[in-house]
Amino acid sequence: MKRLFFLAAFTLLLAGCGGKFVAAKRLPSDIIRMPAGTPASNSAGYEAELKEIAERNTTVEDDPDWIEESYKALRIKNIRNIGGRDYGKYREHLDNGSIYIIVHPAYTSFFNLPRSLTGAGVEEGISKRNAVEKFLDTPAETAKTALIQAQERQIRDFLELKSAQKRLVIIIIETDYEENPIYLYRKGPDEYKRFLNEATNESESVIYMESRRNGGALNEEDRVHLTEFLLNVDAKNILLGGSYIGRCLEDFYNNFTNDYGNMGVFLVPELSAVSPYDIKQETALKLLLSDGGLNSDTADAFIKGNAYRNMKNIPKTFRLEF
């Protein structure tokens, strides 16, 4: 009964009211582009990297054997499996002195949609499209759906680019997420694991940690690991993003800054997703550009002004620049 109510509520939430929403023409889901916030003058410098990512995506990650293995285990390291003596080695992966921490990336695609998009993962054998790609290719009938897609694409493209550049990224995933009753793929192939493996390109610069169930905060042991890691890599800035503003993302921020302090800790508007439950259709429209991308200026202003009315602590923001 709870599950049926959840599906009905979410369907009504996305449907909204008023006139029919007209979605912008979007890029195919398999196209990786520079994340929103990137100065247009800089984009040409990343053509080679984007080409490299596209080649890997259409060769290595389209191979049926690779896809089958990608469901079984994460191909990035857990911070618990990195010896303390090796923490300092990750300093070479800082992005101009910064480290990125992404809480529950692409959460909506796996935990908040009305239904799964891959069933048992069978589409002419094993589908070449992962769950996020299938969602991005789904026609958006409301502004909220279009916004969710823009946010999921943004975080996907960011992880693809930064992992290919060998920049230091820590991903926070929910502990035992596979057993979460709302995980859409708990009865079939682990689509979230596959997505994370594809988006992070098996990069040695990307590591992961686990948050508590139903929240973004780390347990006490991992809080110690993270603090020691950050002190050893000597990051100037800790740049946060993920899902959702005022929810798990704030849970992580509050928990983390209690240990570490807030000096040099920022929220990145372009990487921080708002829950569809926290906005109206007209708000979603303001967060979208005419091409269907994310309006990073509005996203920044909304965080600074606590426009969603769900943050107890307003963090400083840091805009993406490459």
Side-chain angles (χ1 to χ4, degrees), residues 101-106 170-173 211 215-216 240-244 248-249 252:
I101 300 179
I102 308 298
V103 179
H104 302 170
I170 297 178
I171 291 175
I172 310 297
I173 61 175
S211 69
L240 306 179
S243 310
Y244 294 117
C248 290
L249 188 50
F252 177 87

Side-chain angles (χ1 to χ4, degrees), residues 260-309:
Y260 193 84
N262 61 8
M263 183 69 69
V265 182
F266 302 90
L267 203 62
V268 180
E270 296 91 344
L271 303 179
S272 302
V274 60
S275 168
Y277 291 101
D278 293 335
I279 57 172
K280 298 179 179 179
Q281 296 289 346
E282 52 266 32
T283 305
L285 280 171
K286 293 176 182 177
L287 286 163
L288 289 168
L289 295 173
S290 58
D291 65 355
L294 184 67
N295 188 324
S296 54
D297 289 334
T298 301
D300 185 32
F302 280 4
I303 291 173
K304 289 177 178 176
N306 196 14
Y308 312 117
R309 301 288 187 265

Side-chain angles (χ1 to χ4, degrees), residues 6 63-64 110 112 125 270 282 301 314:
F6 171 79
D63 180 82
F110 300 94
N112 265 351
E270 296 91 344
E282 52 266 32
I314 312 298

Side-chain angles (χ1 to χ4, degrees), residues 5-6 22-23 28 61 70 76 83 88 109 121 160 164 190 197 210 227 242 257 271 295 303 320:
F5 174 79
F6 171 79
V22 179
E61 294 174 8
S70 74
I76 53 177
S109 291
E160 288 268 14
D190 192 344
N197 282 327
E210 295 181 350
T227 299
T257 53
L271 303 179
N295 188 324
I303 291 173
L320 279 184

